[in-house]
Amino acid sequence: MRQSLDDETNAQSPVWTSLYHDPLPTGVVAVALMLGTGALLDVPVSSPLLGAAFCGVALVYLLDRTLGHSPEDRTNQPARVEWARRHRTWIWTEGVLLTTGAAFSVLLLQVKTVGIAALLGGVGALHLGAGLSGAGGPMARRLLKPLAVAGAWAVGGVLLPVLEAGAPMTASVAGLAAYRFLFILPNVLLADWGDRAGDIAAGLHPWTEWATARGVRGTATGLLGLALVGAVGASAVHPRPVLLWIDAVGPLLMLAAVWTADPTRPAHRFGLDLLVGWPAVTALAAWGLGV
């Protein structure tokens, strides 16, 4: 089955294959989340912050997914491993450009923003070096990986724009971060489920070893349901409720994808990642509607 999925990916156009495996779209998702924060909280999002988010996130995923890969990746992501092998020169060039862009952008940010960003990056990467990858240990510890990754994305996408803009830390900021967490975590859970076979074959013991596909999808449904309830409730007091309604379409689409997408397929995983970038639509709506 995995080989047939690999062949299916290779049969597609080189452009689509690159999009599936290149880390640049992940950087775009980070930018989308921050733009959505700016729209919903009515705070300006600085260009240097967007540049740092794009370059920094893409660079982290480049180091994790393409320049370096684990033994389980040969089972979970054979097409990506092969793509990285064939595009080594491009990947190194991309890495240099992203590093340069991140360095220049960071120099233009406030020290507090850089400090919190570094802290969140460390939290998101804990599972790589602190035994949170699921290789044994209590179930609660194994679940720290998806919780840490989703938490870093959610808090970073909300808190950093607010910090850089010098806006106050209000209940709305905390509420939006929680809402984003509920929106992002299902994608992380599905990605872990898609990696289940390779993780187990490599001798790891991830949390997915004791899960079922229906259980993972059911949990994701519950999380997205909470996100939707929160969005509807918040729209009653939000000064621009139409933006929250537009933003809530993202969790609705993710809910549909939870039950239809196959996270072992690169194209489906790419689509799930793109859905996390739905807040860009919210930002475009705010600009287009002038609200």
Side-chain angles (χ1 to χ4, degrees):
M1 173 63 75
R2 180 67 64 172
Q3 182 61 43
S4 67
L5 296 182
D6 190 17
D7 293 341
E8 175 185 320
T9 302
N10 291 334
Q12 295 173 348
S13 72
V15 173
W16 280 111
T17 301
S18 295
L19 283 175
Y20 296 161
H21 305 308
D22 197 286
L24 294 184
T26 311
V28 174
V29 172
V31 170
L33 287 170
M34 290 188 174
L35 290 175
T37 295
L40 290 176
L41 297 181
D42 196 20
V43 296
V45 185
S46 74
S47 297
L49 179 60
L50 293 177
F54 172 77
C55 294
V57 169
L59 183 60
V60 167
Y61 277 77
L62 180 144
L63 293 172
D64 181 38
R65 293 182 174 180
T66 53
L67 281 180
H69 54 81
S70 305
E72 62 268 22
D73 289 340
R74 296 191 178 278
T75 300
N76 291 329
Q77 300 294 332
R80 188 175 72 202
V81 171
E82 176 61 19
W83 181 86
R85 186 190 66 80
R86 289 187 286 107
H87 295 84
R88 211 65 177 170
T89 300
W90 162 246
I91 291 169
W92 278 103
T93 302
E94 191 175 61
V96 171
L97 293 175
L98 289 171
T99 301
T100 303
F104 276 111
S105 298
V106 164
L107 290 175
L108 300 175
L109 298 178
Q110 298 184 57
V111 174
K112 62 182 180 181
T113 306
V114 176
I116 295 299
L119 179 62
L120 290 172
V123 170
L126 271 178
H127 68 281
L128 297 176
L132 303 185
S133 62
M139 176 62 72
R141 184 179 178 183
R142 302 178 197 194
L143 284 171
L144 282 176
K145 174 196 171 182
L147 294 176
V149 172
W153 271 92
V155 176
V158 174
L159 186 60
L160 295 181
V162 174
L163 274 177
E164 186 64 17
M169 294 295 154
T170 64
S172 296
V173 176
L176 181 57
Y179 166 68
R180 289 285 185 244
F181 177 76
L182 293 170
F183 173 46
I184 295 170
L185 183 56
N187 181 40
V188 181
L189 295 178
L190 285 175
D192 279 359
W193 177 258
D195 289 341
R196 177 177 181 268
D199 290 347
I200 295 174
L204 300 177
H205 298 281
W207 66 267
T208 52
E209 188 174 16
W210 288 272
T212 64
R214 188 172 186 83
V216 172
R217 296 183 195 277
T219 300
T221 298
L223 293 168
L224 292 167
L226 287 174
L228 289 168
V229 169
V232 172
S235 68
V237 296
H238 197 280
R240 298 171 295 172
V242 65
L243 292 183
L244 261 177
W245 300 338
I246 293 171
D247 198 84
V249 174
L252 274 175
L253 292 174
M254 185 68 77
L255 183 58
V258 160
W259 290 97
T260 56
D262 179 356
T264 65
R265 296 178 180 270
H268 290 203
R269 290 178 73 133
F270 179 69
L272 288 166
D273 288 344
L274 285 186
L275 280 180
V276 176
W278 178 263
V281 178
T282 307
L284 285 173
W287 174 78
L289 297 174
V291 297

